[in-house]
Amino acid sequence: MSKKVIVIGAGIGGLTAGALLARRGYNVTIYEQAYVPGGCASTFKRRGFTFDVGATQVAGLEPGGIHHRIFEELKIDLPSVTPCDPACAVFLPGETQPINVWRDPEKWQQERQKQFPGSEPFWQLLAKLFQASWKFQGRDPVLPPRNLWDVWQLTTALRLDTLITVPFTFMTVGDALRLYGLYNDRRLKTFLDLQLKLYSQVNADETALLYAATALGVSQEPQGLYHLQGSMQILSDRLVEGLEKHGGKLFTGYYVERIETLENNKSQIIIRQRKTEKTFTKTADHIVANVPVQNLVKMIDSPSQPGLNLYQQRVEKLPEASGAFVIYLGVKDEAIPKNCPPHLQFLYDYDEVIGENNSLFVSVSKPKDGRSPEGQRTIIASSFTDTQIWNNISEEKYQQLKQEYTIEAIARLSNYFQLNSDTIIHQEAATPRTFAYYTARDKGIVGGIGQRVSTFGPFGIATRTPIKNLWLVGDSTHPGEGTAGVSYSALTAVRQIENKNFI
Ligand SMILES: Cc1cc2nc3c(=O)[nH]c(=O)nc-3n(C[C@H](O)[C@H](O)[C@H](O)COP(=O)(O)OP(=O)(O)OC[C@H]3O[C@@H](n4cnc5c(N)ncnc54)[C@H](O)[C@@H]3O)c2cc1C
């Protein structure tokens, strides 16, 4: 009889793990607390507009890329996509011309040489590290290793060309800038802070250099970032198709409250159906949790498990994760400047005291990309925010704060877009409270664990947990956030489950 697997959560991580396990012969059931799958990569519809909730661009769709590989294995069609070129147009404070992160590597090289004179040796180092890290990741290493099988997978992924990365394992981007005498190049540092915060949650001084090399290198050919035709939902819909094609099942509107371990190495989960409020128990050989690690530790009810205390302590000590404030605008075409790039990043000011960038990351839909009626477009702008300021306040204070953030965001966006009562057809905002409600993420944190040296690669959160047959996938685990990152973690957990009897 095929082994039974329960997946908690139908984000990209859970759907990918569930679909791959179903394809590989497991009996898979996914329980998702929301009524639509996709989590931070899902969508919602308002007045003819389709808004991507969080993720708006996707890496890993080129041949050999992680989504491409997974879709091939599942025998499902890849979504139709348009490459993002430039991947991002970055506006620094007071500047009206952007720094364009072009898709063509040569064009990007010329752009950065023009924008940041004298910095090429730094970029060349990043390019070398990216090449080596990308090849290494393509050989499916298991990081961080937790048993002999993992170590073996890691070792077989290492090649001579990986050795170049080793001396840089403990370095941050700030260290590399110092190495090249570029640390005081304020413009370069600001640009890096902005871009890195987007991918790694932290700035150049904190981001692990090897992570940065990958995050900053992935926008150029032959890799690249892509905009999905229709909406982000297509990615989840296709994965659900893959899951069901191979016999797996997805139940939406089911909240998993607790995970308990049983004596026979099996685990059981306590599930509440949201509509009826009825609870029931299900047992499985493996449980795959697609939740932030901060959620996971609160769900485990197995006090005597060895190693669990240390695991919980580590999670408690993790630096506070960020939340997001997102504004979703449905607008008339004339609100958007001609030749507007698909993604823009605006830095408004830099707070020297807290070292925080005050920025907006903006995603603009294209005509006929399936997100808006003819003559209309969507603009989605997000910024990082401290979850604490949104939680534990009265409803009245919360609404007031949300209103203040909305007004501020629209005012700032109006420097570039034509936004007024005539061009804005629909407006709506999401805060950490919204993300906590719709995705059940602890305190509404988004984007996973900051990719500092202490939490990246060998020091990251593993897909293995201290509980046998309980696995963690998603943006808390190596290699980090983004739909591509969480798909790698899903693939790792699937391979570990399959090879679990090896040692
Ligand atoms: C504003 C914003 C912009 C972003 N932009 C990009 C981008 O452009 N490109 C990109 O690649 N990434 C982007 N990201 C990051 C990306 O969306 C996430 O890293 C990724 O989608 C996370 O996937 P996941 O599967 O790990 O988790 P999630 O998406 O959080 O999925 C987890 C799922 O589990 C469900 N769940 C949780 N708890 C329970 C429970 N107890 N019982 C049952 N179900 C449960 C949730 O409802 C959810 O559906 C962005 C994120 C945000 C917030």
Side-chain angles (χ1 to χ4, degrees), residues 125 128-129 132-133 159-168 210:
L125 171 70
K128 275 201 188 95
L129 296 176
S133 303
R159 299 279 192 287
L160 267 182
D161 63 8
T162 327
L163 288 183
I164 182 194
T165 64
V166 176
F168 298 98
L210 295 181

Side-chain angles (χ1 to χ4, degrees), residues 6 174 358:
I6 289 177
N358 193 349

Side-chain angles (χ1 to χ4, degrees), residues 8-14 31-34 36-41 53-59 232 254-257 290-292 295 299 324-326 328 343 361 382 435 438-441 446-448 473-476 480-484 486:
I8 307 171
I12 300 300
Y31 291 101
E32 163 59 50
Q33 61 89 33
V36 283
C40 294
V53 164
T56 51
Q57 56 185 4
V58 176
M232 277 301 293
Y254 288 82
Y255 184 85
V256 177
E257 297 195 321
N290 174 212
V291 298
N295 286 56
M299 292 167 80
F325 173 82
V326 190
Y328 308 93
H343 293 99
F361 176 69
S382 58
F435 279 94
Y438 285 104
T439 67
R441 296 176 70 102
V446 292
V473 299
D475 54 18
S476 294
E481 77 161 310
T483 63
V486 307

